[in-house]
Amino acid sequence: MDNEKLSLPQYDIPDDIQNAVAITTLDRLYNWGRRSSVWPLMFGLACCAIEMIAAQASRYDMARFGMEVMRPTPRQADLMLVSGTVTKKMVPAIVRLYNQMPEPKYCVAMGACASGGGPFKEGYNVVAGLDKFIPVDVYIPGCPPTPQALIAGMIKLQEKIDKESIRKVRWYRKGPDSMEIPVPILGPDLIDPRRNSEIKATAAAKAVQTTEESAS
């Protein structure tokens, strides 16, 4: 966001001091700082990660958006950029990393696999969309998306940050600081702890049905 967008449009700033003075709101200033320093978490899952790496190189230069600092630890990252096929074996690790990220945090699903399973959607070991487990802010289509598509997705994320208000965001509300998600359990299949009551009810109904069939 340049100085023109930072200033409120209803205030006319003299031409000779436009590059030195800005009249704005706290929300605009706060979001301007955050949108210009989004640090992604440094990990990749499949072929989309190669495009993500290319976008960080000199030809596309993500440093123009303040996103070149890819952190090797979730505790220093603002953005989880999930690039590649999300397998059931990988979901517990992804959710655990997401929980360890401090607020404010965002998630971008890069590519068809992360967004909805892609060509492996019917596979026994692939999750049909990352948003079944963690909230996704931006979806980037493609298989794999080009670096230009990734940059377009990052610009969409910046536009979302611009619309947020300190008075309404969840990390400034009273109560828990973060929205922690239960880590899925990997056994014979992937179990989401948030569906425990549903699983128990289904198992109980199945047990009753089996008992009735045996009695008859």
Side-chain angles (χ1 to χ4, degrees), residues 7-8 13 23 80 107 109 132 136 152-153 167 169 176 189 192 202:
S7 298
L8 292 176
I13 301 175
I23 301 176
M80 172 174 278
C107 179
K132 294 183 180 296
V136 176
R167 294 173 296 177
V169 291
D189 202 346
D192 189 346
T202 304

Side-chain angles (χ1 to χ4, degrees), residues 173-213:
R173 294 176 183 171
K174 293 182 179 180
D177 293 337
S178 179
M179 181 178 56
E180 186 170 354
I181 300 171
V183 178
I185 302 167
L186 181 62
D189 202 346
L190 194 63
I191 301 173
D192 189 346
R194 294 173 295 186
R195 300 183 62 187
N196 280 346
S197 58
E198 179 185 346
I199 294 172
K200 289 179 180 179
T202 304
K206 186 67 175 177
V208 171
Q209 181 182 358
T210 304
T211 303
E212 292 176 352
E213 290 176 355

